[in-house]
Amino acid sequence: MTDTVQTEAVGGVEIFVPLNKLKKSPRNARKVPHGEAAIEALAASIQHKGLIQNLVVEPEVKEDGTQTGYYLVTAGEGRRLAMLLRTKRKQIKKSEAVRCWLDTQNDPAEISLDENVTRTPMHPADQFERFAELSIEKGWAAQEIGARFGVSASVVKQRLRLGAVSPKLLQVYREDGLTLDQLMAFAITEDHARQEQVFENLHHNREPWIIRRDMTAANVPAADRRAVFVGADAYVEAGGNIIRDLFSEDRGGFFEDAGLLDMLATEKLREIAGEVQAEGWKWTEAHIDYPHAHGMRRFYPQSVALSGEDEARLDALSREHDELAEGYSSYDEMPVGVAAKLEAVSDEIDAISAKRSAYDANVIAHGGAFVVLHHDGTVRIERGFVRAEDKALADPQPENETEGETTDPETVEDEQPDDDDENVQGIEEEDEEPGKPISDSLTRDLSAHRTLALRVALGERPDLALIALTHTLTAQVFYSYAEAGCLEVRPTVTPLGSHADGIEDTPLAAKANEAREAWAERMPRDVADLWGFIVGLDDEKRLALLAHCASSTVNALRLPWDRKPRTLQTADRLATALALDMGKDWTPTVDSYLGRVTKAHILEAVAEGVSEDAARHIADKKKPEMAEAAEQRLAGSGWLPAVLRTPKAEVERSAPVEAEDLGSVEQPSEAEAPDTEAEDGEASFAVAAE
C-alpha cells in the first residue's frame, strides 16, 4: 500500500499516512489522557479486526504556512496510541499506513469535541448479551474473547455471567428497574427460575446483599465447618456444584447440595472413627454435632511414667531440637533440609510425650469415643465414654465402700437407742459382749465435737481451707462424688444448651471444654487419690484448679420463673471485677437478637451503636428487612444489648476492716443489722474491681 501524503492538502478525502507521520493535535478536546486499559482494548480490537474507524487529521503547518509533512490527529488519538502500542510489541512497523480522513474545512477542536460528545454508548445489557452470543454461537472461551476486546478473562466471565441472567430481569435492568449491583447479585447463579422467584418475592428493600442472601438461602457457605472438613475438591468430585460469586468476595463460594455435603462429612467422620476404634475401643460413633444428651460416664487418661529408654531418647531429641532451631525464629528462615529435619524431630518428641498419659485397659475394652466436627471444621475426638451397661466392667471399684464394718441384721434392733431408757438412766448399761461397737448416739455425740474442732482449726489455716475446698469441688465437678469431701459445699453446674441453641458449638464453649479436659487428663482415676494430687500441686496450679471448678458453677441466667435480683446483682459485680467484654464473643445478628425483638428495639440498637441518622434511614422498613439492614450496620460496632453489658466499676469503696479490730467492733442489733444478702458479694469483688 502506497503512502498518500499530499503536498497540498485537499479537504474531504481519504488518505493513508505512515504511522510515524502522525502526531497528537494540540487542539484535541480530550485533556485527560486515555487509560492503559482503554488503549489495550483498542490495540486488541485493531489486531483482530483491523481499523474499523479511520482517524481524522489535518496537515501540520509551519509559521510561514508551509507543511511539515506530518499530520495532526484531530479525532482518533486513542487509536493512534493503540497502534503505537502494536509497534512496541513488534506487531506492525512504524511506517504502517494508517487510513485517515483529511479535514481542512472544520474546526479541529470542534471535531474532537463532537466525536466524544455526540454519541450514545451501548446499554450494558446489550453488551452482556452480545458477549454471551459470542461464547454460545462461536464457541469462544473467555480467554479468546478477552484477547479480541483487550480485557481480562475474569472481566469476560463477569460479562458472560451477567448475559446469562434471566431475559426477564435483563429487560427490567434495561428499563431501570434494577441497578447493575442488583443484577450482579442475581447473577450469583444461572438458575433463571430461582432468579425470577427471588425477584418476585422482593419488597421495597432490594439491597444487593439481601438478594445474594435469598439466592443462596438453601446453600452452604464455603466457610461452614462441613465444607471446610470435606473440601471443595472432594465435594465436586462427588458430583456437587459450587456457586461462585464473580462480583464480590465469596470466600470460596456456596455449596449447592447441603444433603450431599452432610453425607460426605459423615462418611469421612466414620472413616476416622474406624481408625480410632482400631486403638482397641469397644465402640465409636461419628456425628457432625456432639451428642450432648448421651448420658454416659466419662473416664480420662492417667499419667504414665516413661521408660528409661524413652526418657533418654526424649532428652537427646530435646537437645537436638534446640541445636537445630538455634538462630532461627521460624521454619521459613531455615534451609529446606534443616526445616525438614527439625519437623521430624518435633514429631518424634510429640510421639514420645504422648506416652505420658494413657487410658486404663478396662476403659478401652468397654468404652468408646465420639468423632465429631469442631466449630472450625477440624475433627474433634472425645474418648473415654462408658455406657451404663458397661460401667461396672470398666470401673470394677464400687463407688461406696464401708471400710471394715459388717452389720448383722438381727442385732440392728438391739443397737437402736431407747429414748425411754435414756430418760430413766443417765448412764448406759455396760454391755459385757466383747467386740460390740459403741452406740450410734455416742458416735453422733463425739463426731459433733470433732466437727466443731475441725471448723475452728480449718478457720485458722487458710492454706488447708483452700486445699479442702478445692478437693470438695473437684471431686464433684470431675468425679460426681458428693461424698468424697467433708465440706458441705455442693457445686451446681447448670447446662446452658437448653437456654441458647448452638451455644455448645461456639468457640467460647470449645475454650471451656479444652480447659476442663486439660485438667481431667492430669487427675488420678480413683477419687481416693484426689487429696494427694491436690496437696502435691503448687499454690499457683491449686488456685487455677479452684478457679476452674468455681467457674463451672457460675449461673447468671435471667429466667422469668426464677426471680433472683441479688444473685444477678452479684453477677454484675463479678463481670465488673473481671472487666468482661462480651463484644469479643457476641455480635448482634438477625438470629441472635435483631430478629427476636420489636422494631423499636432494633431502631434503638442502631441509634446507639451507629447513629440516629442510620436508625432513621431504616425506620420505614418492614421488620425482616429492618433486622437485616440493622445487622449490616451494627457489624463491627461493638454494640451490646443491656443484658450483656458490663456495669462500670464503682468509684467509692468502703475502707477495709483490719482483722485484729473485728473483736472490738460493736455488733448491730437485729433491727439495725444490714440486709446481708443484699450486700453479698460486694466485699469479695471490691479489691478486684479497683
Side-chain angles (χ1 to χ4, degrees):
M1 187 178 294
T2 58
D3 298 342
T4 307
V5 180
Q6 302 178 5
T7 55
E8 293 184 4
V10 178
V13 296
E14 183 182 87
I15 62 175
F16 288 87
V17 182
L19 178 60
N20 55 8
K21 293 294 183 179
L22 294 173
K23 291 183 178 181
K24 178 180 179 180
S25 172
R27 291 191 281 182
N28 191 302
R30 185 189 293 271
K31 301 305 179 184
V32 178
H34 294 77
E36 291 183 9
I39 301 303
E40 286 278 358
L42 283 170
S45 175
I46 296 170
Q47 170 71 12
H48 289 86
K49 295 175 283 290
L51 189 64
I52 297 174
Q53 181 182 359
N54 56 13
L55 283 67
V56 178
V57 298
E58 64 169 334
E60 184 182 42
V61 181
K62 297 180 181 179
E63 292 182 0
D64 60 4
T66 60
Q67 297 183 13
T68 64
Y70 288 88
Y71 287 80
L72 303 177
V73 178
T74 303
E77 174 63 14
R79 297 187 289 281
R80 185 184 77 88
L81 293 176
M83 297 189 72
L84 288 175
L85 179 61
R86 294 184 63 211
T87 64
K88 187 176 180 181
R89 293 174 174 173
K90 308 298 183 183
Q91 294 173 346
I92 59 174
K93 296 180 180 180
K94 294 181 179 179
S95 58
E96 178 82 7
V98 180
R99 187 176 73 251
C100 301
W101 181 263
L102 181 64
D103 188 338
T104 58
Q105 304 297 321
N106 297 301
D107 179 9
E110 184 180 352
I111 292 175
S112 176
L113 179 63
D114 206 356
E115 183 193 41
N116 288 283
V117 173
T118 313
R119 62 179 178 178
T120 302
M122 175 185 286
H123 193 282
D126 299 332
Q127 179 189 146
F128 303 151
E129 286 185 336
R130 300 295 82 75
F131 268 75
E133 287 176 3
L134 290 176
S135 175
I136 296 171
E137 296 176 4
K138 295 183 177 293
W140 290 345
Q143 290 78 2
E144 185 171 358
I145 296 175
R148 299 180 70 87
F149 288 89
V151 293
S152 67
S154 61
V155 170
V156 174
K157 289 178 181 178
Q158 290 179 340
R159 293 176 182 175
L160 291 175
R161 178 68 68 83
L162 288 167
V165 171
S166 163
K168 177 180 178 180
L169 297 190
L170 279 176
Q171 187 58 36
V172 174
Y173 172 52
R174 283 189 176 94
E175 297 170 358
D176 297 328
L178 287 173
T179 66
L180 180 58
D181 286 341
Q182 291 168 337
L183 189 70
M184 290 190 296
F186 280 109
I188 194 170
T189 74
E190 297 182 8
D191 186 343
H192 290 181
R194 178 64 178 161
Q195 292 169 351
E196 293 172 8
Q197 179 189 29
V198 170
F199 176 74
E200 294 296 335
N201 291 333
L202 284 177
H203 300 291
H204 65 282
N205 189 349
R206 298 184 175 188
E207 294 281 351
W209 70 268
I210 292 179
I211 297 172
R212 284 191 179 89
R213 183 205 62 190
D214 292 347
M215 290 293 299
T216 59
N219 308 128
V220 179
D224 184 273
R225 54 183 177 146
R226 294 166 293 172
V228 172
F229 176 61
V230 171
D233 293 341
Y235 171 76
V236 172
E237 186 177 350
N241 181 51
I242 298 179
I243 299 171
R244 302 284 185 180
D245 189 347
L246 301 181
F247 305 97
S248 65
E249 177 58 47
D250 64 1
R251 290 174 290 182
F254 298 85
F255 288 56
E256 197 170 32
D257 193 337
L260 174 63
L261 187 61
D262 282 345
M263 184 189 73
L264 294 175
T266 302
E267 288 178 354
K268 191 173 180 181
L269 287 170
R270 284 173 179 165
E271 292 177 5
I272 297 173
E275 297 172 2
V276 174
Q277 191 165 5
E279 299 172 4
W281 296 99
K282 180 178 179 180
W283 57 268
T284 55
E285 292 182 9
H287 302 274
I288 292 177
D289 297 312
Y290 181 79
H292 292 280
H294 55 73
M296 303 181 200
R297 181 181 173 188
R298 185 173 189 179
F299 293 82
Y300 291 92
Q302 306 302 306
S303 298
V304 177
L306 292 178
S307 66
E309 181 181 353
D310 283 338
E311 286 284 7
R313 179 59 179 161
L314 190 60
D315 290 342
L317 288 170
S318 298
R319 289 193 297 271
E320 184 179 1
H321 181 280
D322 293 342
E323 291 172 1
L324 289 170
E326 187 175 0
Y328 302 104
S329 60
S330 67
Y331 279 99
D332 295 337
E333 297 180 1
M334 300 177 184
V336 176
V338 175
K341 189 173 183 180
L342 182 62
E343 189 171 358
V345 170
S346 297
D347 291 342
E348 190 173 355
I349 289 175
D350 292 340
I352 296 176
S353 298
K355 297 180 181 180
R356 293 188 184 277
S357 62
Y359 286 91
D360 185 273
N362 276 334
V363 173
I364 294 177
H366 301 96
F370 294 113
V371 179
V372 298
L373 271 188
H374 220 314
H375 66 90
D376 58 357
T378 57
V379 178
R380 173 180 164 194
I381 301 175
E382 302 287 349
R383 298 175 175 87
F385 293 95
V386 177
R387 292 168 175 157
E389 61 268 24
D390 295 324
K391 183 177 177 182
L393 297 173
D395 187 19
Q397 299 179 2
E399 294 187 10
N400 297 303
E401 295 183 358
T402 304
E403 300 179 2
E405 182 176 324
T406 57
T407 304
D408 185 354
E410 297 180 359
T411 64
V412 171
E413 185 176 351
D414 294 337
E415 292 179 4
Q416 300 303 318
D418 190 328
D419 293 339
D420 293 336
D421 290 345
E422 287 183 359
N423 290 334
V424 176
Q425 293 178 307
I427 302 175
E428 298 178 7
E429 293 183 1
E430 183 179 351
D431 194 328
E432 296 289 343
E433 183 179 346
K436 184 177 182 180
I438 62 175
S439 66
D440 286 345
S441 61
L442 179 56
T443 299
R444 193 166 61 246
D445 183 295
L446 296 175
S447 63
H449 284 278
R450 186 169 184 267
T451 298
L452 179 59
L454 280 171
R455 289 179 178 178
V456 173
L458 189 62
E460 296 172 351
R461 289 290 303 275
D463 56 333
L464 289 179
L466 175 63
I467 292 174
L469 179 60
T470 304
H471 173 266
T472 299
L473 293 177
T474 304
Q476 295 174 80
V477 170
F478 285 89
Y479 295 84
S480 301
Y481 285 168
E483 76 282 0
C486 64
L487 273 62
E488 288 190 328
V489 178
R490 297 290 180 266
T492 300
V493 182
T494 302
L496 300 176
S498 60
H499 299 287
D501 291 339
I503 192 173
E504 298 97 336
D505 295 319
T506 60
L508 207 57
K511 184 177 181 180
N513 289 334
E514 289 169 4
R516 177 185 174 84
E517 290 169 11
W519 275 112
E521 290 179 358
R522 300 177 57 189
M523 290 182 184
R525 177 181 177 187
D526 193 342
V527 72
D529 300 325
L530 181 59
W531 180 272
F533 169 78
I534 294 174
V535 170
L537 296 175
D538 59 36
D539 291 343
E540 183 178 358
K541 289 185 175 62
R542 192 180 300 119
L543 282 172
L545 176 56
L546 176 61
H548 176 80
C549 292
S551 67
S552 64
T553 71
V554 171
N555 185 346
L557 287 169
R558 295 174 182 262
L559 306 175
W561 61 85
D562 187 11
R563 302 294 181 182
K564 47 183 181 181
R566 292 183 177 85
T567 297
L568 297 177
Q569 183 184 44
T570 303
D572 285 343
R573 288 170 174 163
L574 176 59
T576 302
L578 294 170
L580 183 68
D581 182 7
M582 284 298 299
K584 297 178 180 178
D585 304 298
W586 186 93
T587 53
T589 64
V590 173
D591 292 333
S592 69
Y593 181 80
L594 299 168
R596 302 162 65 182
V597 295
T598 64
K599 293 176 66 174
H601 285 114
I602 297 174
L603 294 175
E604 180 183 7
V606 174
E608 291 180 357
V610 186
S611 68
E612 294 285 352
D613 287 341
R616 281 193 293 270
H617 187 68
I618 65 172
D620 61 341
K621 298 180 183 293
K622 294 184 179 180
K623 183 179 175 180
E625 290 80 12
M626 179 186 290
E628 291 157 357
E631 177 179 331
Q632 294 289 313
R633 287 162 173 77
L634 288 171
S637 67
W639 179 86
L640 295 171
V643 176
L644 297 182
R645 297 176 188 174
T646 296
K648 295 182 179 180
E650 297 177 21
V651 177
E652 296 182 1
R653 299 288 182 184
S654 57
V657 181
E658 297 295 338
E660 60 265 22
D661 295 337
L662 288 175
S664 61
V665 176
E666 182 179 351
Q667 300 298 321
S669 65
E670 184 175 350
E672 298 171 340
D675 186 343
T676 55
E677 187 176 2
E679 297 295 329
D680 180 34
E682 184 171 3
S684 300
F685 305 123
V687 175
E690 289 174 348

